[in-house]
Structures are given as C-alpha cells and as structure tokens.
Amino acid sequence: MGQQETVATSLADTVREGIGAALAEVDADLARRYPGDPGTRQPVHTVYVPGDAFTADTLRSWGDQALAMLDEHAPDAAALAAVLGLPDDLAGPVYERVRAKLEREPIEDLRIDFEDGYGVRSDAEEDEAAARAAALVAAAYRDGTAAPYMGIRMKCMEAAVRDRGIRTLDIFLTGLLAAGGLPDGLVLTLPKVTYAEQVTAMVRLLEAFEKARGLTPGRIGFEIQIETTQSILGPDGRATVSRMIEAAEGRATALHYGTFDYSASCGVSAAYQASDHPAADHAKAVMQVAAAGTGVRLSDGSTNVLPVGPTAQVHDAWRLHHGLTRRALARAYYQGWDMHPGHLPTRYAAVYAFYREGLEKAAARLAAYAAKTGGDIADEPATAKALSGYLLRGLECGAVAPAEVARLTGLTRTDLDGLAGRVGG
C-alpha cells in the first residue's frame, strides 16, 4: 500500500537517452527560431507622417481633428452606429471609448516617414529634418506626450537611395542618444525589401552603430516592410519572407504589408489596389505562416480613400475603412496603417467592437477551461491560448477594462499571460 506499482517496459533507458541526444540540436533550433509571443503590447495601428510635416503637436492635432470629425459627421453613438452598422448594445460603449481614446491616446504608433511620404530632398534638408525628428521624439518621451511607439521609416537598401537612408538613420539615432538615450518605444522601419541580404545589411548596420556607441548588442530592432513580390516568393520558388526573418538574426520585430507598392508590383490596376484584393490576401497569408511562432508581429496596410468632403462622402470612406479593419481583425491582422486623422474614429470603433462583442463568450470559455468545468465546447490548450490572447489585446487597446475581464474570468493578468504563452508577460 502506498507504493507505486511497477509496470512492464521493453526499452532500455539508453534508447530514450539516445533519442534525446539525437534531437538536442533540433530542440535548440526550435527554441531559437520559434520563441513565441514576445509578451509586449502590439499597437492597433501605425500612423505615417512625412518627416517635414511632423511637429511637437502632431499627436494631439490628430486626436483633435478626429474628435472634430466625429462632432461634425457622427455627433453621438446612434449616428456612428448607423453609419457603421454597429449593434445597439455596442453603440454606446464603443462610441464612449472611441472618444476617450482620441482624447487620451489618439495615436499608438507613429512613424516619421523619410521614404515615399517624404520623397527626395537635398542632403542638407533631409539632414536637418532627421535631426529635428530626433529632438522632437526625445522631447515627447521626456514630457510624457509621446505615443507608446515612435520611430522613423528610412529609405530602403536599394543602391539609388541606400547611402541617404543610412545617413538619415545615423543622424536620427545619434540625435536620440545625445538627447538622453534610445526610448523603449523606438521602432525603425526598413521599406521595400526584396532580398534577404538587404536585411542582413541592416543587421550589420545596427551592429556597427551599437558598437560605435557602446550599446548592448541587439538593442535595436526593426520592422521589415513587405512591398514587392520578391519578398514573398523568390526565384527559386521559396518563401523569401521566411529567409528575411532568419536573416534579421532576432532583430525583426514586425512584418508590415505595403498595400499599394505590392499591388502595383503584381500588376493590379490602380482602381483595384486594396488590402482585400486576392493578391494581398495571398501575400499576407504567406507572411502569416512565415511569422507564426517567431515573435515577429504582423501589420496590414492602409486604404488611400480619405474621409474628407461632405458628410455623405465621409460616411462612405468610414464604412470602407471600418470594413477593411474588421476584415483584417478576423484574419488575425491586429494592426494596420492609418494615413489621415479621419481614419482614427473608424480604426478604434472597429477594434473596440471586435473585442467587446466577443468578450462574454470568450471569457466564459476561458473560465470553464481554467476551472476544468467543461461546457458546450471542448477547448484545448491552443484554443485557451487564443482566447487569452484575444482578451489581452482587448485590454491593451482599451476596448475592455481589467475589472470586466477579472469579473468574467476569475483570472489575473498573470494568469492570462501564462495561458497566452507570452514569454515576456
């Protein structure tokens, strides 16, 4: 009594030990290549502002302009719900949260653009703009007015603009260090990547900067912008984007889809260039599979239809943007680009409705899973991971409140991080 019964086996311990030794290298490779979710907040969007247009009040100005557009074109919850087709039970909570967000934190991720949105300028002009951007970003972090994430999009690694892009990046990073250091929310974007070797070049560039300034190796990461067909499929038929993630040597933080450059490279005519085109869906599906488990985040592109003009025209643009955002969320693209202050109300309305409409069901399923009480759905660990990830994203963007989630699930934030597999959570 009280002793474990002996069961019969046929294999010697050396068999198990031999298999373990044979797979040790594979185990290490899996851990290196697929570390899982980094455990950090992912912004719901990225706002692009040309380098010469960025000022100290850009973030607040965008929020104020978005609020003014709501006042003019959707002054209450019922009006916005009618435009976007929101259910009655969501209209009030979503509208209130959208307005609060625009007042508190209108932009989650800001990229000061020195590429397409900035164009080709004289070296002196771009030098001045890059230094000015660094000073403004540093000041914003010092005085508490910065977005959670901020940085620049440099020019690409193609021969014609390579030197200019490198110089702009050097000026910007050097300026940040001179003003107090690199902020935790720093994000850099490398556009128009076609070959993995260009990613490797970016890695070597950042290594050189870190060494020159005595920074911790690996301190600076960057996003890879997917804007060309070569970045999806190489001449050998292999998925190039996977090679790019590998070439980044752990520095890649995200893959951003470039709607219009990619569509044009596929020969899609201008009238049909959009993030829901089949060519876009194919590219983003390849990106999604390549990034899965690597800790590299995904971002959808933008729409170039701006909500400007008379109310009917604004409403049409809002419906389009809202629909594209909802479509992306359902396809696990939780971030996208916004190009105009008028896109902010529909970005947040779509995001908040997405997380609020499924809150109670997701919470109930997760609570049943955690308590092992069962229910009408037999959820597995992978589904629990998805459910907790859904709730965490809702919390981080402000769609739901911590008290709501705690009440509905009986779980703490630490519990949710653990179920979601967030290594840094």
Side-chain angles (χ1 to χ4, degrees):
M1 296 291 292
Q3 293 183 349
Q4 184 176 356
E5 295 184 13
T6 301
V7 296
T9 61
S10 300
L11 298 174
D13 287 346
T14 54
V15 175
R16 172 180 50 79
E17 293 166 358
I19 291 174
L23 291 177
E25 188 174 337
V26 170
D27 294 339
D29 198 52
L30 281 170
R32 179 182 67 84
R33 292 176 185 268
Y34 302 104
D37 192 290
T40 55
R41 171 186 178 184
Q42 181 180 9
V44 303
H45 69 167
T46 301
V47 164
Y48 277 73
V49 177
D52 58 338
F54 177 61
T55 66
D57 67 348
T58 291
L59 279 78
R60 185 62 266 151
S61 173
W62 273 56
D64 290 343
Q65 290 179 68
L67 286 165
M69 291 192 69
L70 278 178
D71 290 340
E72 181 177 359
H73 304 293
D76 54 39
L80 187 64
V83 175
L84 304 181
L86 298 176
D88 291 343
D89 61 326
L90 286 179
V94 166
Y95 192 80
E96 292 166 6
R97 282 168 170 78
V98 168
R99 292 197 69 96
K101 180 73 168 179
L102 295 174
E103 291 167 357
R104 181 186 74 255
E105 187 185 76
I107 295 174
E108 293 195 358
D109 183 25
L110 181 91
R111 206 69 70 251
I112 305 165
D113 192 15
F114 287 94
E115 202 230 357
D116 284 350
Y118 183 73
V120 177
R121 312 290 181 93
S122 70
D123 284 339
E125 186 176 358
E126 185 158 340
D127 282 356
E128 181 181 358
R132 177 172 163 275
L136 289 171
V137 169
Y141 277 104
R142 281 198 306 271
D143 64 23
T145 61
Y149 300 94
M150 297 181 74
I152 66 167
R153 178 169 71 167
M154 59 190 283
K155 289 178 171 63
C156 69
M157 285 291 180
E158 293 177 357
V161 294
R162 183 185 304 139
D163 289 349
R164 181 62 258 181
I166 291 172
R167 181 171 174 82
T168 296
L169 179 64
D170 188 2
I171 292 170
F172 179 72
L173 294 177
T174 299
L176 288 176
L177 287 176
L182 304 183
D184 290 339
L186 174 67
V187 188
L188 306 175
T189 304
L190 179 65
K192 292 184 176 60
V193 181
T194 54
Y195 282 78
E197 289 80 1
Q198 293 168 326
V199 175
T200 299
M202 183 68 167
V203 172
R204 299 288 90 84
L205 174 62
L206 296 177
E207 284 178 343
F209 186 89
E210 289 165 351
K211 184 176 180 180
R213 299 308 301 261
L215 300 175
T216 302
R219 166 65 180 86
I220 309 172
F222 61 97
E223 302 168 336
I224 301 170
Q225 199 156 13
I226 306 301
E227 300 179 271
T228 67
T229 56
Q230 295 92 338
S231 61
I232 294 297
L233 193 68
D236 56 0
R238 298 172 61 187
T240 320
V241 66
S242 293
R243 296 177 56 208
M244 291 177 178
I245 293 173
E246 180 69 9
E249 300 177 19
R251 292 179 186 262
T253 58
L255 303 175
H256 281 230
Y257 176 70
T259 303
F260 303 102
D261 281 285
Y262 188 87
S263 296
S265 72
C266 287
V268 179
S269 60
Y272 297 97
Q273 291 178 358
S275 61
D276 59 351
H277 190 279
D281 285 342
H282 171 260
K284 289 183 285 185
V286 174
M287 292 165 59
Q288 192 169 50
V289 174
T294 65
V296 176
R297 262 72 182 268
L298 299 170
S299 176
D300 201 357
S302 63
T303 174
N304 58 359
V305 179
L306 305 182
V308 296
T311 295
Q313 188 171 320
V314 169
H315 285 179
D316 286 342
W318 273 355
R319 276 188 286 269
L320 174 65
H321 184 247
H322 180 266
L324 291 173
T325 303
R326 281 299 308 244
R327 185 179 189 274
L329 290 167
R331 285 158 174 77
Y333 267 75
Y334 301 112
Q335 184 177 350
W337 298 5
D338 289 327
M339 310 302 287
H340 187 274
H343 286 146
L344 300 184
T346 39
R347 170 69 61 184
Y348 291 122
V351 169
Y352 290 173
F354 178 77
Y355 290 113
R356 292 204 63 81
E357 68 190 14
L359 171 60
E360 293 192 4
K361 286 185 178 180
R365 288 177 65 178
L366 194 59
Y369 174 86
K372 296 180 171 57
T373 57
D376 58 352
I377 301 177
D379 284 325
E380 297 183 353
T383 307
K385 182 177 181 179
L387 290 166
S388 54
Y390 172 84
L391 296 176
L392 285 166
R393 290 179 183 279
L395 283 167
E396 289 166 348
C397 71
V400 298
E404 287 182 288
V405 175
R407 174 177 57 81
L408 292 168
T409 64
L411 301 172
T412 66
R413 174 60 187 260
T414 301
D415 294 331
L416 292 175
D417 282 328
L419 287 168
R422 288 195 167 190
V423 297

